[in-house]
Amino acid sequence: GAVVSQHPSWVICKSGTSVKIECRSLDFQATTMFWYRQFPKQSLMLMATSNEGSKATYEQGVEKDKFLINHASLTLSTLTVTSAHPEDSSFYICSARGVAGGTGELFFGEGSRLTVL
Amino acid sequence: AQTVTQSQPEMSVQEAETVTLSCTYDTSESDYYLFWYKQPPSRQMILVIRQEAYKQQNATENRFSVNFQKAAKSFSLKISDSQLGDAAMYFCAYRSVWPDNYGQNFVFGPGTRLSVLP
């Protein structure tokens, strides 16, 4: 199956700093990638959809200026949490779908746990 | 908007036994996909099984099978010969066929935590 890699798997930062999380599709080209946030013992919450070469589409309630998403190539999307605060601490997961056709599923990265002190 | 419900927040099963996780969904669409994803303690989401709504035959993947009842909008997952490695959070998910940008219409249920007892 298709492989999506996410890095870093965990990060600890000080309040006020920015953190960048990378999501790469390793063996396929991903025209669209998705960023989710997951709170403990809860389901995935879609934050935004990023399309290669265009601006991301954010879900209602997600701050665009705080969660910057860039999808500069068909294999890489990045999520930057700007001026992070403790309430931004969470588990962030990216997923991707292929260029065309496919079986309808999403392929997920390993997730990144962010802890803001 | 579509919704996915998993009525069992937690389930447990004895090793080697069979367990069924329930999932119901609400939609007005006739064509869609349904999935079961597994999230083990490592936290990476892994696809367990997939079902296309237009297919009447229930999907099967080794020890995993589904009971897809389209009219009842039910999509349960049966795990046979449960193993310790099956312990995880299981999410039922729905995906519309249209529109094409389907991340926004890929809906996850709240999840069921499965414990496997040795």
Side-chain angles (χ1 to χ4, degrees):
Chain A
V3 179
V4 175
S5 179
Q6 201 171 329
H7 177 80
S9 56
W10 60 272
V11 58
I12 301 173
C13 69
K14 293 183 178 180
S15 184
T17 61
S18 294
V19 174
K20 178 184 287 187
I21 301 170
E22 293 186 348
C23 179
R24 295 181 183 274
S25 56
L26 298 186
D27 53 359
F28 69 104
Q29 293 181 320
T31 55
T32 305
M33 289 185 173
F34 310 97
W35 288 94
Y36 293 86
R37 183 172 181 176
Q38 186 179 30
F39 293 100
K41 297 185 179 181
Q42 292 190 23
S43 190
L44 282 68
M45 180 188 76
L46 180 65
M47 298 174 64
T49 302
S50 73
N51 293 298
E52 187 264 338
S54 63
K55 290 185 178 181
T57 303
Y58 291 82
E59 294 300 297
Q60 191 172 11
V62 177
E63 298 177 61
K64 301 178 182 181
D65 295 333
K66 167 163 281 294
F67 300 101
L68 299 179
I69 292 172
N70 181 272
H71 193 158
S73 76
L74 284 172
T75 59
L76 174 64
S77 176
T78 60
L79 167 66
T80 301
V81 183
T82 63
S83 186
H85 288 92
E87 58 266 29
D88 299 324
S89 298
S90 191
F91 192 68
Y92 294 89
I93 306 173
C94 73
S95 66
R97 70 173 180 117
V99 174
T103 53
E105 71 206 66
L106 291 178
F107 303 100
F108 287 87
E110 306 94 327
S112 300
R113 178 167 299 287
L114 171 63
T115 301
V116 184
L117 302 177
Chain B
Q2 294 81 21
T3 58
V4 176
T5 302
Q6 293 176 250
S7 60
Q8 307 150 316
E10 296 184 356
M11 292 279 287
S12 63
V13 61
Q14 208 72 33
E15 196 176 4
E17 296 295 311
T18 296
V19 64
T20 299
L21 308 184
S22 65
C23 172
T24 58
Y25 58 95
D26 186 29
T27 183
S28 59
E29 299 174 331
S30 60
D31 199 11
Y32 47 86
Y33 296 98
L34 294 166
F35 307 87
W36 278 97
Y37 279 91
K38 168 185 177 181
Q39 188 180 37
S42 66
R43 303 303 295 273
Q44 180 161 21
M45 298 280 283
I46 302 167
L47 177 69
V48 175
I49 200 165
R50 171 183 56 249
Q51 176 81 44
E52 290 89 341
Y54 65 87
K55 290 185 178 179
Q56 293 185 341
Q57 187 174 6
N58 289 323
T60 299
E61 286 288 340
N62 301 313
R63 298 182 295 108
F64 299 88
S65 61
V66 298
N67 183 4
F68 173 47
Q69 300 292 325
K70 191 172 184 179
K73 296 179 183 175
S74 171
F75 183 61
S76 61
L77 174 69
K78 185 173 80 172
I79 305 174
S80 304
D81 185 25
S82 296
Q83 301 175 358
L84 295 177
D86 295 333
M89 195 75 170
Y90 285 82
F91 293 99
C92 179
Y94 172 104
R95 198 218 105 182
S96 297
V97 174
W98 304 105
D100 190 53
N101 182 9
Y102 57 73
Q104 294 166 316
N105 49 22
F106 203 104
V107 181
F108 288 91
T112 296
R113 183 170 300 280
L114 177 67
S115 300
V116 180
L117 309 174

